[in-house]
Amino acid sequence: MAFKGKKKTPEEKMKEIEELTAGMDQQIDSYFVSETAMREHLAFMANFYNYSQRNMTLIDKQFMGAEAVGSFNFWKNKGAAVQKGEKGIKILVPTPVQFYKKNGIDVPVSSASKQDRELIDRKQLETTKKTFFKIGHVFEYTQTNARELNLSVSEIFGKYHRDGSLESSREMMAALNKMATKLDFIIVDESPFELGTAKGAAAPSEKIIALNPRNTEFENVSVLIHELAHAKMHTPERAKELSTSEKEFQAEMVAYVVANRYDIDTEDFTLSYLANWTNGAALKDKEQLLNEVRSTSSEFIDEIDSHFDQVKEKEQLQEKEQSVPSDLEIEAHALNRGKELNASEPVMYIYGISTELRPFGEMNNLDFDQYKQEQIAYFVAIPSEGKETLLISSQYEKGEYIHPLHQLEKEQLVDKESVATLETNYHDELLKQDDAYIQSFAARLKTEIHKEEATATDKNKKLSKINTIEIER
């Protein structure tokens, strides 16, 4: 029989929580000692945005430099294991408990008698929910064998990194525009007021955010995060309770957290409002400030991650569509499509390019350099009177052959008669295009001649008029 430790009493559990949280206030206070200390905490917050401020403080206090944490089961589900002998990081886990009234006393529903339980189920006894905390344990990335398994933090936690490219900045701006819409704010192209050297401004009462047109696209990302932070946190009601320094300090903290999360350069960020704001500020005000920064940053990060998830899914879908299928898949597809064929001329289907079966000559004449895929995978169907339709499937590296017909002939994938049929079909397409070009050229030439004739006629009329005037003189 497995040994089970002595069950802790409620009093013992409470004492353990008190011991765990002792010194937490001093830890929070320490973040406001200097700009460097605050920057370090905000960088930490960027990794642990989905934890409460108090749990962040506990993790920070117990495991300096923690980058990513998860429970024992979390790591197990990811295919990693906590290293033997590692000590868990204690955090507070919210635990909701339902109560009902009995003789004026709150009794946990879990302890209800069978009769009371029936009354509760029939809603004849009211219940209330209270949240208590218990101690849980999490383990840091380096306490596991994830590194040995080549599982990166980004891979496990789905962390996105901005690579500094213009395209990346535009996607980030698209995500932030979604956030603005969610907050019912409009980002205006032209500011209704002169911004001067200010890079942006938010007007909560008008529900608009203006970005300075003099900004670069890279600057606009961090500026927009800052202004959205104002929009989210500083509603007209809340703004009355805060000084300008407090509001700017909060907005810059949110911008710093989000920027840090996505590897956006934070060199130009300033927390100079720190010294002005912290003089005489009570600890509870500091904790509230950090809680608001954390919840706002968390909401922004969730929205941005959601946008990048959608972008990633779209890219994966495009890659899947453009990926070259196996020979067996090509053959199976060709056979299935071939059964539906009722064509009187050779047709071709090219994977990643075609949407339907098209005349062979038309598809063979495509400019394959304009398409991304490095391999050209295709199948050709050649109908023959009185015989079963001939199906040929193949693929080759782009650049290896001029077009599919070139490969079919060089590798002798079809007999000479079929090659001749395909060549005729291809040449007919070339002649058709040449004819179309000649007709187009002739039409343009005719138009030019008409213009020149009209111009000459106009000149003759003017000369005739001048001569008539000279004669009259």
Side-chain angles (χ1 to χ4, degrees):
M1 183 177 177
F3 173 76
K4 291 185 179 179
K6 182 185 174 184
K7 192 175 180 181
K8 292 177 182 176
T9 64
E11 292 75 19
E12 286 173 328
K13 289 179 181 178
M14 184 58 69
K15 186 181 178 184
E16 189 178 8
I17 289 174
E18 285 172 0
E19 288 173 354
L20 178 64
T21 55
M24 190 183 284
D25 290 348
Q26 290 90 330
Q27 183 82 358
I28 290 173
D29 224 0
S30 71
Y31 303 145
F32 293 83
V33 170
S34 67
E35 187 173 330
T36 301
M38 178 55 73
R39 278 176 178 264
E40 287 177 359
H41 179 62
L42 295 178
F44 183 84
M45 190 185 285
N47 288 331
F48 297 94
Y49 68 93
N50 53 350
Y51 283 83
S52 69
Q53 180 58 48
R54 297 221 148 199
N55 273 336
M56 271 195 285
T57 304
L58 285 173
I59 295 167
D60 194 15
K61 186 180 176 183
Q62 295 171 76
F63 202 107
M64 285 183 63
E67 188 178 2
V69 302
S71 66
F72 185 90
N73 284 331
F74 170 85
W75 292 113
K76 186 179 177 181
N77 291 335
K78 294 293 180 182
V82 174
Q83 305 279 19
K84 191 176 181 180
E86 289 290 354
K87 189 180 178 182
I89 303 164
K90 294 179 180 179
I91 61 170
L92 298 174
V93 181
T95 309
V97 179
Q98 276 193 314
F99 290 89
Y100 73 101
K101 289 279 186 187
K102 187 168 186 177
N103 301 324
I105 300 170
D106 282 334
V107 178
V109 171
S110 58
S111 303
S113 63
K114 186 179 178 181
Q115 187 180 0
D116 287 349
R117 171 72 73 175
E118 289 173 358
L119 292 172
I120 291 167
D121 290 341
R122 291 201 297 266
K123 301 192 183 301
Q124 291 176 333
L125 273 179
E126 256 185 59
T127 60
T128 56
K129 189 182 286 185
K130 294 181 183 179
T131 301
F132 294 87
F133 289 89
K134 66 179 182 181
I135 292 178
H137 296 84
V138 290
F139 298 87
E140 211 274 334
Y141 174 73
T142 56
Q143 293 181 288
T144 73
N145 65 345
R147 285 176 300 181
E148 288 78 0
L149 297 172
N150 292 320
L151 295 171
S152 67
V153 170
S154 295
E155 185 182 348
I156 295 168
F157 291 88
K159 191 174 178 182
Y160 292 101
H161 298 281
R162 178 178 170 275
D163 59 16
S165 68
L166 198 60
E167 186 179 349
S168 179
S169 288
R170 284 172 180 164
E171 287 298 350
M172 185 66 75
M173 287 295 286
L176 294 173
N177 269 276
K178 287 182 180 179
M179 193 69 239
T181 303
K182 194 174 178 181
L183 294 172
D184 199 26
F185 268 70
I186 296 171
I187 300 169
V188 294
D189 295 327
E190 293 184 18
S191 174
F193 38 81
E194 176 55 52
L195 290 169
T197 57
K199 294 186 183 296
S205 52
E206 289 85 5
K207 292 279 188 179
I208 63 168
I209 291 173
L211 297 174
N212 198 320
R214 304 174 187 91
N215 295 345
T216 65
E217 287 201 58
F218 297 110
E219 284 177 322
N220 274 338
V221 172
S222 53
V223 174
L224 186 51
I225 298 169
H226 180 106
E227 299 307 332
L228 284 169
H230 278 304
K232 170 65 180 174
M233 292 186 291
H234 305 139
T235 58
E237 297 75 22
R238 177 64 174 145
K240 290 174 186 175
E241 301 169 4
L242 301 169
S243 67
T244 300
S245 294
E246 290 170 331
K247 287 182 282 190
E248 290 302 322
F249 184 36
Q250 273 196 312
E252 196 68 354
M253 283 201 292
V254 170
Y256 192 92
V257 171
V258 178
N260 206 283
R261 173 77 180 174
Y262 298 101
D263 293 339
I264 297 170
D265 184 16
T266 54
E267 284 299 314
D268 294 333
F269 284 74
T270 175
L271 300 173
S272 57
Y273 290 96
L274 177 65
N276 297 329
W277 185 81
T278 52
N279 288 334
L283 179 64
K284 66 176 182 179
D285 294 329
K286 293 176 183 177
E287 187 172 356
Q288 182 183 358
L289 177 141
L290 286 178
N291 270 321
E292 290 175 348
V293 168
R294 185 208 64 79
S295 62
T296 301
S297 300
S298 178
E299 189 174 342
F300 285 12
I301 290 168
D302 283 341
E303 187 66 40
I304 294 167
D305 277 2
S306 174
H307 175 77
F308 278 106
D309 280 340
Q310 291 170 17
V311 171
K312 191 176 179 181
E313 284 173 14
K314 188 177 178 181
E315 287 173 351
Q316 287 174 342
L317 184 63
Q318 288 174 342
E319 285 174 11
K320 188 177 179 182
E321 287 174 349
Q322 291 173 1
S323 63
V324 178
S326 68
D327 289 338
L328 286 174
E329 287 174 321
I330 293 174
E331 288 175 16
H333 194 177
L335 287 168
N336 288 333
R337 296 298 295 267
K339 288 172 185 174
E340 301 166 9
L341 278 175
N342 188 23
S344 57
E345 62 175 341
V347 289
M348 181 157 59
Y349 183 94
I350 304 176
Y351 292 85
I353 295 175
S354 299
T355 54
E356 60 182 342
L357 287 159
R358 299 291 302 160
F360 175 82
E362 179 187 319
M363 298 304 290
N364 195 65
N365 194 40
L366 291 175
D367 177 9
F368 295 104
D369 288 336
Q370 67 178 304
Y371 299 102
K372 287 183 179 179
Q373 57 258 51
E374 291 303 314
Q375 285 188 300
I376 307 300
Y378 63 92
F379 77 81
V380 178
I382 308 173
S384 180
E385 197 172 332
K387 295 181 183 178
E388 192 176 339
T389 298
L390 177 64
L391 297 172
I392 310 106
S393 59
S394 188
Q395 56 185 306
Y396 62 88
E397 292 289 332
K398 190 159 68 176
E400 193 175 349
Y401 295 101
I402 302 168
H403 41 55
L405 177 58
H406 187 208
Q407 184 201 20
L408 291 169
E409 185 177 9
K410 286 289 181 184
E411 293 188 11
Q412 296 181 355
L413 299 178
V414 291
D415 57 37
K416 289 182 179 179
E417 186 182 344
S418 296
V419 168
T421 301
L422 295 176
E423 278 182 340
T424 301
N425 197 262
Y426 176 47
H427 292 154
D428 285 348
E429 175 66 23
L430 294 178
L431 289 170
K432 192 196 307 181
Q433 288 202 358
D434 286 345
D435 186 51
Y437 175 76
I438 291 167
Q439 288 184 16
S440 173
F441 179 77
R444 287 201 307 271
L445 189 62
K446 192 175 181 181
T447 303
E448 291 298 322
I449 292 169
H450 284 161
K451 281 183 181 177
E452 287 177 9
E453 287 176 347
T455 304
T457 303
D458 191 45
K459 282 181 181 178
N460 290 333
K461 284 181 181 178
K462 285 179 181 178
L463 285 171
S464 176
K465 191 173 183 181
I466 291 168
N467 290 333
T468 301
I469 293 170
E470 289 295 327
I471 291 166
E472 287 176 354
R473 283 181 179 175

